[in-house]
Structure formats: structure tokens, C-alpha cells
């Protein structure tokens, strides 16, 4: 049987439990928070006073902080690209001859939860008055227009490694932004980012369980897929980000440097995520591997130490780089 057919069988096997995945890791619409719960209420007479207070507190947040918050928002708002990619994965179908496909059901409900993140952050940025919203909006449209390729092809094993990694990375980023916002006295923004981070952690736990279950039924191929993704390196969802008038991907390095300067997401965080996944999936204990998969495991276990040495030698520029999204005149 071909590798692709085996993967399809595994996806069909996992799909039998899709309702339990939805129940365990996603929250019903009527019970989960909505963006309006965390923003000034436009129906109340106190709305303008609340907005004025939000804007005053926002003035104390530093330049790199705004760059990172904008970049995080744009990344969240490019959700249509991520959903369309995952809907094309082998084993995922919008509809089948026997009815709704379980994986499509999962992805639509996951998308529904993720969609709230961009909505909330976008509204906060708009109300804050600290950023050039037209430039932000153009960057978002460019990112969606330019597409997305995490290097996974239609392989569900590789895609689930990617989503497991990325959901944990976004948890770290939003959680660190929450901590910094609290440090600078913006408790409302801190709560916003912390509650988004909570969603990301739930989603990480779901996707990492998918991988864990695949390891139990197809360990060698799952190990090889994990190795493949780490060899080529996990691509950040915003790696093609650009400002208006610029070429694809030109803004990502500057955005990444801002995140590293303020400690929101660093090279060491990348290494730490890999170590956490090695431990979570207990790859050192997996049995029944082929010789090739054994070599892949050895590579994965040694990789964190090698990457740590590289990360320790990295030098992040100390000078802030100006973005069209955030202009100095807007943050004085």
C-alpha cells in the first residue's frame, strides 16, 4: 500500500473520534468569549469615556511593542489562507458521499474560534489610535493575496507537526505580549492577549494529540514526517509579510527582530518548543521503528542542543526599525 493511502487510512481512523476532539478542545459558541466582551461597549453612554481611557493608557506602550502587536494581529487576520491550506490536506473533504467530513467539521470550528482573535486585536488597534490602520489593512490583504506554503504539501502528518508547533509558538507570543502590557499598565490589553493565548494553548493540545495518536499507529512514518519538518525548519505563518509598495516577505525579518528585542518570541523559544514536542510525544520511548526512523529519532533528540549553540551566537540588532504600520508621530 502506498504511503499516501496509509495516511488516508490513519486519517479515517482518527476521524472516528472527531466529536470527542471537538468536545475536549473546542468550546461551544454560546459559552466562549466574544470580542465585544473585552472591548468598550458601543451601546453604552460610557463608550467614549472608555475609549478615551484606552487611548491614554496605550500611549505608554513602546515602539517595538506596537510593531509586534500589529504583526501578531496581521498574522491572525490571515486566517483564510491557513484554513484553505488545511482544507486541502489528504483526508480532509468539505463533503463526502456519506455526509459531512469529520476533519472539515473540526477545521471549520477551529477556524471559528481563531477568527475571533483577529477581530478582537484589530478593533483594539483601531480604538487605540496608535497605528496607521490603512497600512495595517493593506499588509493584511497582501499577506492573504500572497498565499502561504509551510512546506507540508498535502501530508496530514507534516501538517499536524506544523500546527502543533505553531499553536504553541502563538501561545508564547500572545502570552508574552500580555505580560508586557501588564508591565506597562495596560491591564485591558493584557487580558485580551492572555485570553487569546489560552485559546492557542487549547488548540496546541489538540493538534499535538493528533500527532500522538498517529505515533501509536504509524510510528516510523510519523517520526520521518517530524524529522522532515524540523530539517526544513518550521515556517512562521507571517514569513511572507510585507508593507505597502514592498516585495513579498521584506517585512518579516524586521518584525522578527522587534519580537526578539522585547523578548516576545526568540530563537531560544523555537528550540524550547522542539524540546517540548520531543517530550510530549515521548519520541525517545517509541518502539517498532524502521532503521530510517531510528536515525530520524536520533536526529530529533540531538537537534535541540545543536540549535541552542546556534541561537546563543545570534546577535539581534538593537536599533528599532521604522514601519509604515507604526509611525513615531503616532506614539508620542
Amino acid at each position: 500500500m502506498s504511503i499516501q493511502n496509509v495516511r488516508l487510512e490513519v486519517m479515517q481512523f482518527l476521524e472516528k473520534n472527531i466529536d470527542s476532539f471537538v468536545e475536549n478542545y473546542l468550546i461551544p459558541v454560546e459559552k466562549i468569549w466574544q470580542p465585544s466582551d473585552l472591548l468598550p461597549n458601543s451601546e453604552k453612554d460610557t463608550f467614549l469615556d472608555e475609549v478615551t481611557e484606552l487611548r491614554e493608557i496605550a500611549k505608554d506602550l513602546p515602539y517595538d511593542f506596537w510593531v509586534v502587536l500589529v504583526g501578531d494581529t496581521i498574522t491572525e487576520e490571515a486566517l483564510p489562507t491557513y484554513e484553505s491550506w488545511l482544507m486541502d490536506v489528504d483526508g480532509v473533504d468539505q463533503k463526502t458521499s456519506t455526509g459531512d467530513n469529520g476533519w472539515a467539521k473540526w477545521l471549520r470550528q477551529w477556524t471559528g474560534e481563531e477568527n475571533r482573535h483577529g477581530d478582537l486585536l484589530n478593533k483594539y488597534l483601531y480604538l487605540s489610535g496608535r497605528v496607521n490602520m490603512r497600512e495595517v489593512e493593506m499588509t493584511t490583504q497582501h499577506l492573504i493575496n500572497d498565499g502561504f506554503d509551510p512546506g507540508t504539501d498535502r501530508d496530514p502528518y507534516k501538517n499536524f507537526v506544523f500546527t502543533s508547533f505553531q499553536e504553541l509558538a502563538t501561545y508564547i507570543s500572545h502570552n508574552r505580549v500580555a505580560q508586557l502590557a501588564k508591565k506597562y499598565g495596560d491591564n485591558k490589553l493584557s487580558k485580551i492577549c492572555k485570553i487569546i493565548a489560552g485559546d492557542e494553548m487549547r488548540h496546541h493540545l489538540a493538534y499535538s494529540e493528533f500527532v500522538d495518536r498517529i505515533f501509536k499507529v504509524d510510528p516510523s512514518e510519523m517520526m520521518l514526517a517530524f524529522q522532515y519538518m524540523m530539517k526544513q525548519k518550521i515556517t512562521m505563518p507571517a514569513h511572507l509579510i510585507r508593507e505597502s509598495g514592498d516585495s513579498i516577505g521584506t517585512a518579516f525579518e524586521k518584525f522578527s527582530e522587534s519580537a526578539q528585542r522585547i523578548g516576545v518570541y526568540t530563537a531560544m523559544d523555537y528550540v524550547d518548543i522542539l524540546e517540548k514536542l520531543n517530550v510530549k510525544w515521548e519520541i525517545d520511548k517509541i518502539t517498532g521503528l524502521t532503521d530510517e526512523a531510528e536515525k530520524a529519532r536520533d536526529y530529533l533528540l540531538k537537534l535541540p542542543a545543536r540549535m541552542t549553540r546556534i541561537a546563543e551566537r545570534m546577535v539581534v540588532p538593537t536599533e528599532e526599525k521604522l514601519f509604515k504600520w507604526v509611525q513615531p508621530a503616532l506614539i508620542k
Side-chain angles (χ1 to χ4, degrees):
M1 184 180 292
S2 70
I3 289 174
Q4 183 181 21
N5 285 339
V6 171
R7 279 160 165 66
L8 285 173
E9 280 200 4
V10 171
M11 287 291 281
Q12 291 163 2
F13 168 74
L14 292 178
E15 187 185 354
K16 295 174 183 177
N17 296 306
I18 206 71
D19 287 337
S20 67
F21 295 147
V22 169
E23 183 178 341
N24 292 339
Y25 294 111
L26 301 178
I27 299 174
V29 174
E30 288 75 14
K31 294 183 178 180
I32 201 167
W33 63 268
Q34 295 297 334
S36 58
D37 298 332
L38 298 156
L39 294 165
N41 189 340
S42 60
E43 295 179 282
K44 291 187 175 180
D45 293 337
T46 57
F47 174 67
L48 293 179
D49 291 335
E50 291 180 52
V51 172
T52 298
E53 181 184 17
L54 183 154
R55 292 165 68 92
E56 284 301 311
I57 294 173
K59 289 180 180 179
D60 294 330
L61 300 170
Y63 190 85
D64 272 336
F65 180 93
W66 284 106
V67 170
V68 171
L69 187 60
V70 167
D72 283 354
T73 303
I74 292 166
T75 302
E76 294 285 358
E77 294 238 88
L79 184 62
T81 304
Y82 317 141
E83 183 188 30
S84 63
W85 183 274
L86 289 169
M87 279 292 189
D88 195 45
V89 170
D90 286 336
V92 180
D93 296 295
Q94 285 279 24
K95 294 289 182 181
T96 69
S97 58
T98 57
D100 203 8
N101 175 262
W103 285 113
K105 174 183 177 180
W106 163 268
L107 287 173
R108 287 197 299 269
Q109 294 193 40
W110 167 80
T111 299
E113 287 199 0
E114 287 282 341
N115 186 65
R116 292 147 46 257
H117 302 168
D119 282 352
L120 175 54
L121 291 171
N122 182 290
K123 289 184 176 75
Y124 173 86
L125 290 179
Y126 179 79
L127 292 174
S128 76
R130 300 297 96 191
V131 304
N132 185 325
M133 284 304 297
R134 180 170 175 79
E135 287 292 340
V136 173
E137 290 157 357
M138 284 193 285
T139 294
T140 299
Q141 188 171 353
H142 272 307
L143 188 56
I144 295 172
N145 289 351
D146 292 335
F148 173 63
D149 183 0
T152 56
D153 198 14
R154 301 182 67 193
D155 185 336
Y157 294 11
K158 294 173 183 174
N159 274 284
F160 288 158
V161 170
F162 178 82
T163 48
S164 296
F165 193 105
Q166 274 304 331
E167 293 285 11
L168 188 51
T170 50
Y171 161 79
I172 291 169
S173 181
H174 287 303
N175 196 49
R176 296 259 177 80
V177 170
Q179 293 169 358
L180 286 172
K182 186 174 183 179
K183 174 184 174 182
Y184 291 114
D186 195 333
N187 292 326
K188 181 178 287 290
L189 179 58
S190 178
K191 183 177 181 180
I192 285 171
C193 294
K194 189 171 183 179
I195 201 167
I196 290 174
D199 280 0
E200 304 291 7
M201 177 55 77
R202 276 192 297 105
H203 299 162
H204 159 70
L205 293 173
Y207 284 111
S208 60
E209 182 175 339
F210 298 161
V211 173
D212 187 56
R213 294 199 179 198
I214 295 171
F215 265 124
K216 288 178 170 57
V217 295
D218 194 9
S220 292
E221 286 300 318
M222 188 65 249
M223 190 72 73
L224 291 170
F226 187 16
Q227 180 202 35
Y228 176 90
M229 291 304 296
M230 298 316 304
K231 268 193 170 182
Q232 74 159 13
K233 297 180 181 175
I234 298 292
T235 303
M236 298 298 112
H239 77 286
L240 296 181
I241 200 168
R242 56 163 151 165
E243 295 182 275
S244 62
D246 290 342
S247 54
I248 294 176
T250 49
F252 180 72
E253 186 176 353
K254 290 193 297 178
F255 162 57
S256 179
E257 287 172 359
S258 291
Q260 292 191 75
R261 266 194 299 274
I262 61 176
V264 166
Y265 186 78
T266 68
M268 286 306 301
D269 289 319
Y270 186 100
V271 178
D272 187 54
I273 292 172
L274 170 57
E275 289 184 310
K276 281 183 166 61
L277 293 178
N278 280 346
V279 171
K280 177 179 284 290
W281 294 328
E282 297 184 319
I283 68 166
D284 59 323
K285 299 176 184 176
I286 293 173
T287 59
L289 297 174
T290 63
D291 290 344
E292 187 182 11
E294 286 282 8
K295 292 177 182 177
R297 170 174 38 204
D298 187 53
Y299 171 86
L300 289 163
L301 291 173
K302 292 178 180 177
L303 186 58
R306 288 168 50 194
M307 294 186 68
T308 296
R309 292 192 291 271
I310 295 171
E312 289 173 344
R313 293 196 297 269
M314 290 181 62
V315 178
V316 181
T318 57
E319 182 181 355
E320 293 175 342
K321 296 186 179 181
L322 300 184
F323 284 78
K324 294 176 184 177
W325 312 328
V326 189
Q327 299 168 7
L330 292 174
I331 62 168
K332 290 180 180 178

